[in-house]
Amino acid sequence: MRPERGWDFVSPGHGDVDFESLLRALNRVGYDGPLSIEWEDAGMDRDWGAQDAVAFVRRSDFQPSTFVFDEAMRGSGT
């Protein structure tokens, strides 16, 4: 960590970024490209941290729903 910098790089899932909201926004606009990680966390062992970051992204990268709630409700008679 460099105190004069004002921030510290942390591994995905261990900081303040709301990755679920980010991924939901990407799904809303139809993004279907790759997700990549630039991993720089000086406070964590590199081998452990890199594996943890990949596992976090894999857990977080959910497929968007193909179900349109409003249309389904109209067809259910409610």
Side-chain angles (χ1 to χ4, degrees):
M1 177 170 175
R2 297 179 58 188
E4 73 278 5
R5 186 171 56 209
W7 76 90
D8 192 23
F9 294 109
V10 296
S11 194
H14 296 279
D16 297 330
V17 175
D18 182 355
F19 281 96
E20 181 175 341
S21 292
L22 175 68
L23 293 169
R24 285 179 180 270
L26 290 172
N27 284 339
R28 257 192 312 278
V29 299
Y31 179 77
D32 65 353
L35 295 176
S36 63
I37 301 168
E38 179 179 345
W39 187 84
E40 300 178 34
D41 189 331
M44 193 178 285
D45 175 75
R46 288 172 43 151
D47 292 331
W48 189 91
Q51 290 177 32
D52 180 63
V54 169
F56 174 79
V57 170
R58 286 184 175 151
R59 278 192 316 273
S60 302
D61 183 22
F62 52 87
Q63 292 295 313
S65 175
T66 58
F67 180 77
V68 180
F69 184 79
D70 293 341
E71 289 178 16
M73 293 305 292
R74 274 188 231 115
S76 70
T78 58

